[in-house]
Amino acid sequence: MSAEHEYAISVAKTEYREGHNTGDVERVLNVFADGFTNMPEGEPSFYGEEARQELRLQLSTLFDRYQVKMEIVIIEIAIFGSTAIDRGWHKLILTPKAGGDPEVRRYRYCETWQKHVDGSWRIVFFISNKDYEPKMLETKEIGLSGEGVK
């Protein structure tokens, strides 16, 4: 049963991606539940109907300014009955419609999904933040006090 739910969420994530790639605001919004919570980096948090209104405005502006290509990497989908947690990366390649070089933005995301009575899965909580290039940690020995010792 878990594989069936993971597949359904993966199909919804495909709709999310293709909504971005085709500039279709409503197609993207269809993946979100009514009354969802949105917490993107660099933006205020929005809840309920305001979250939908703000996301609609944000997507409309994005699609007006850029040709968008989205790539998604799903790290894991964990199913807990009628709730699931999905986490991974969203990569946006934004080509300005007014001309210019493409810009690449990469975000880490975590989503909470809920299964609805019609069998569909929808995002009820979305959080994202900018992803940074990996770097090596400094080599330190950690003492029992928790302070680093060189």
Side-chain angles (χ1 to χ4, degrees):
M1 187 64 108
S2 180
E4 177 185 323
H5 296 313
E6 285 183 39
Y7 179 77
I9 291 170
S10 294
V11 169
K13 288 294 288 190
T14 299
E15 281 298 301
Y16 181 78
R17 182 195 68 212
E18 290 307 304
H20 279 83
N21 291 347
T22 60
D24 187 336
V25 172
E26 296 307 316
R27 192 171 180 183
V28 175
L29 287 174
N30 191 45
V31 178
F32 289 85
D34 293 335
F36 72 96
T37 297
N38 192 13
M39 295 183 171
E41 179 182 33
E43 301 287 334
S45 298
F46 288 95
Y47 310 90
E49 185 54 37
E50 285 185 343
R52 184 169 297 283
Q53 291 170 3
E54 174 57 25
L55 185 54
R56 179 178 281 112
L57 288 170
Q58 183 184 27
L59 290 168
S60 294
T61 301
L62 182 72
F63 298 155
D64 284 346
R65 293 182 182 167
Y66 300 98
Q67 177 65 44
V68 178
K69 180 174 190 294
M70 175 179 258
E71 298 173 1
I72 298 175
V73 175
I74 297 172
I75 296 172
E76 175 184 34
I77 299 172
I79 308 292
F80 305 98
S82 62
T83 302
I85 297 173
D86 165 30
R87 62 187 178 91
W89 293 280
H90 291 158
K91 179 179 176 182
L92 298 173
I93 302 164
L94 307 174
T95 303
K97 289 183 175 178
D101 294 329
E103 175 186 347
V104 176
R105 296 181 191 171
R106 187 172 149 130
Y107 299 92
R108 299 174 284 211
Y109 75 87
C110 185
E111 300 161 341
T112 303
W113 292 73
Q114 202 139 51
K115 186 176 181 184
H116 287 67
V117 292
D118 67 359
S120 67
W121 285 85
R122 300 275 188 261
I123 299 169
V124 294
F125 181 82
F126 177 82
I127 188 167
S128 70
N129 55 37
K130 186 177 178 184
D131 191 33
Y132 295 91
E133 290 295 321
K135 67 178 185 176
M136 298 302 294
L137 296 175
E138 292 182 34
T139 304
K140 293 183 179 182
E141 291 181 17
I142 305 297
L144 292 177
S145 67
E147 296 182 2
V149 178
K150 289 190 178 194

